Amino acid sequence: CRGQRGDRGTHPARAERLKFAESLNNQNGPARTMRLSTHYVCLLLVLALIGLGGCSPAEHPSVVTVDFWAMGQEGEQMRALLPEFERRHPGIRVRVQQVPWSAAHEKLLTAYAGGALPDLFQLGNTWIPEFVALGALAPLDERVRAWPAAALADYFPGILATNRLDGRLHALPWYVDTRLFFYRTDLLAAAGFAAPPATWAEWLRAFAALRHRDGADRYALLLPINEWQLPVILALQRGAPLLRDQDQYGDFREPRFREAFTFYLSLFEQGLAPPVGNTQMANLYQEFARGYFAVYVSGPWNIGEFQRRLPADLQGHWSTAPLPGFDSGPGVSLAGGASLALNRASPRQDAAWALLEFLAEPAQQARFYQLTGDLPARQSAWNDPALLSNRQAAAFREQLRFLRATPAIPEWERIASRIAYYAEQAVRGALSVDAALTALDRDVDRILEKRRWLLARKVAP
């Protein structure tokens, strides 16, 4: 408790104590004198205990509390890792706040604006450029120099690249995410394919056989038309740049992007995929089980969902496969996932870095996979028996060797939403290919207007 200053003789508590002592002193006799001493000592003890009770409990000054924000189930499940961390670091305590993914981006930006970012926080790796532009992230290059030389090389290169901007490391991958094929092995075999094809040309033949296997109400694959990922993946496979002139303008009418976009639309025009969005599919797991579609492009979170939601008699009849390439496979897919970043303004960076290092250990990444199903960003963590025994995860390990990142600019999230919008318009026939790509370039040029303004003044955007 804070000490009181001022006129000690007029302090109310002291005045009461003196008044009580004076009343005792007015009594006569040695016994009363002894009682005075005894009463006075007891009184002091009582007052001391009252004083201690009035102080709010405080942490020991040598204990540092690290605030950590994690998203979705990661925020809930990672708490299971904390006892081991705090055992190793008795001077550090971790306070975890679980943030819904739907609110995470806005909450982080609001916290930055209010000077209230936590010491350590989880970021979708496509958000990293935005927070680097804000100056919110502490660079990690000096810290990782203390690591063994092979430690950074243990990360999947395509994922680690999303954490570097302008040659500096701003975050470290926590777990990885990419897209590939989930497919019905029994239906593919019935269509004459004992193994998944390796190229798009071969898959197209398989799709045609799957489409006509069982009547007009069946499709070969499901591609939700309100998602931007597959059009961009196809463009990256063709080598399309997406943006041009230092990422100052859209480049979606460029021939390679146009070719990829046309190929994407042909999957709907040929009746291989239904023109529906995610919200129009009542239950994709039930539809996959009944054979409404045989192939689905999705990410690692669906390994667990398929294991939980598909009927027991179907569990041996589905698997995963890397995405095909146009000429050979595997083709590239997106470098996704989540990273961990230090708050540049935090006074507890050393303690937060200790937690980040702990979560980056291969053993902890393997344990985190067991808790969440999130795939490790460290390649050595994949030697854990739980991953080695998961046959559906094997295709992801292969796909993670063939990744490409989207443009590392703060505006990418807005650009991706426009790609999804115009892809849906083209699938529904509301716009031609040329009209959709012209409108997409126009919208993206507007989104990038501030970037051009900054670059023209030689200011880093």
Side-chain angles (χ1 to χ4, degrees):
C1 291
R2 291 190 298 270
Q4 300 289 337
R5 297 184 180 273
D7 185 354
R8 295 173 58 89
T10 59
H11 191 283
R14 180 173 176 81
E16 288 296 319
R17 291 198 298 270
L18 292 174
K19 185 176 180 180
F20 180 74
E22 183 179 355
S23 68
L24 291 175
N25 281 328
N26 289 334
Q27 301 180 52
N28 298 319
R32 288 174 182 169
T33 302
M34 179 65 70
R35 285 199 299 272
L36 167 62
S37 300
T38 303
H39 284 306
Y40 191 71
V41 169
C42 290
L43 175 62
L44 292 178
L45 286 172
V46 169
L47 290 173
L49 290 172
I50 292 172
L52 287 173
C55 291
S56 59
E59 291 182 344
H60 193 279
S62 64
V63 174
V64 176
T65 298
V66 171
D67 284 313
F68 176 37
W69 287 6
M71 316 312 174
Q73 70 159 345
E74 287 83 11
E76 178 180 353
Q77 298 296 340
M78 73 85 51
R79 290 184 173 91
L81 305 179
L82 292 182
E84 171 61 16
F85 171 77
E86 294 181 347
R87 183 191 68 78
R88 291 196 214 170
H89 300 272
I92 303 176
R93 293 292 177 266
V94 180
R95 185 162 47 210
V96 180
Q97 180 171 339
Q98 185 179 1
V99 181
W101 269 111
S102 58
H105 185 257
E106 181 179 354
K107 186 174 178 66
L108 284 167
L109 288 176
T110 302
Y112 167 77
L117 276 176
D119 307 299
L120 179 69
F121 51 96
Q122 178 183 351
L123 279 176
N125 61 15
T126 59
W127 303 351
I128 292 173
E130 183 176 8
F131 283 83
V132 170
L134 292 171
L137 309 185
L140 303 180
D141 301 273
E142 289 297 326
R143 294 185 182 275
V144 298
R145 284 195 183 101
W147 283 12
L152 277 183
D154 193 31
Y155 285 92
F156 287 101
I159 295 294
L160 186 62
T162 66
N163 290 251
R164 290 190 186 277
L165 276 81
D166 301 323
R168 304 184 75 184
L169 185 66
H170 295 276
L172 279 174
W174 192 14
Y175 61 83
V176 294
D177 178 13
T178 192
R179 304 287 176 114
L180 45 62
F181 282 162
F182 287 68
Y183 71 99
R184 287 279 298 270
T185 56
D186 55 342
L187 297 182
L188 195 66
F193 295 83
T199 69
W200 278 107
E202 294 170 356
W203 267 108
L204 286 175
R205 290 195 292 273
F207 290 158
L210 288 166
R211 172 71 176 88
H212 297 104
R213 74 190 185 279
D214 202 15
D217 68 333
R218 305 295 175 108
Y219 291 89
L221 71 164
L222 177 66
L223 303 172
I225 61 176
N226 55 342
E227 294 184 351
W228 59 268
Q229 283 83 359
L230 190 60
V232 170
I233 287 170
L234 293 170
L236 294 175
Q237 289 192 357
R238 300 309 285 158
L242 306 182
L243 305 176
R244 62 182 176 86
D245 297 344
Q246 293 184 278
D247 298 332
Q248 294 183 83
Y249 298 93
D251 202 13
F252 298 102
R253 284 172 289 181
E254 194 267 347
R256 288 168 291 181
F257 188 92
R258 192 182 191 283
E259 177 189 0
F261 194 72
T262 301
F263 178 84
Y264 169 76
L265 296 179
S266 73
L267 300 174
F268 299 93
E269 292 166 356
Q270 295 174 44
L272 301 176
V276 298
N278 281 320
T279 57
Q280 295 171 280
M281 183 66 60
N283 188 313
L284 72 87
Y285 306 103
Q286 289 180 4
E287 299 300 329
F288 185 75
R290 78 177 184 89
Y292 179 67
F293 59 91
V295 181
Y296 180 45
V297 179
S298 189
W301 61 88
N302 259 323
I303 294 177
E305 293 298 315
F306 276 49
Q307 290 171 344
R308 286 187 292 271
R309 294 172 180 255
L310 294 182
D313 61 358
L314 197 61
Q315 287 300 331
H317 300 292
W318 69 274
S319 192
T320 56
L323 290 181
F326 277 91
D327 301 317
S328 62
V332 301
S333 190
L334 290 173
S339 299
L340 298 175
L342 296 181
N343 176 5
R344 191 169 198 156
S346 168
R348 293 168 290 278
Q349 283 188 24
D350 289 343
W353 171 248
L355 177 59
L356 197 164
E357 276 194 304
F358 172 79
L359 296 175
E361 293 175 0
Q364 303 309 322
Q365 294 212 340
R367 173 66 176 144
F368 196 56
Y369 161 75
Q370 295 168 22
L371 293 168
T372 65
D374 292 333
L375 300 180
R378 298 283 294 269
Q379 297 181 64
S380 59
W382 285 73
N383 297 323
D384 182 80
L387 272 162
L388 289 175
S389 63
N390 190 329
R391 62 186 179 87
Q392 285 92 7
F396 281 94
R397 187 173 193 172
E398 176 71 4
Q399 186 68 72
L400 288 167
R401 297 172 52 235
F402 301 92
L403 299 180
R404 286 277 303 277
T406 53
I409 59 172
E411 299 88 354
W412 176 252
E413 292 288 324
R414 295 170 61 197
I415 291 171
S417 70
R418 301 315 293 164
I419 294 172
Y421 173 78
Y422 285 111
E424 180 174 354
Q425 295 301 305
V427 167
R428 296 192 183 281
L431 291 172
S432 67
V433 171
D434 288 332
L437 297 184
T438 298
L440 179 56
D441 269 337
R442 180 197 64 220
D443 285 7
V444 171
D445 289 351
R446 289 174 180 167
I447 291 171
L448 296 172
E449 184 175 6
K450 182 178 179 180
R451 179 177 181 82
R452 293 193 297 274
W453 186 90
L454 291 169
L455 287 174
R457 287 153 181 80
K458 301 187 184 305
V459 177

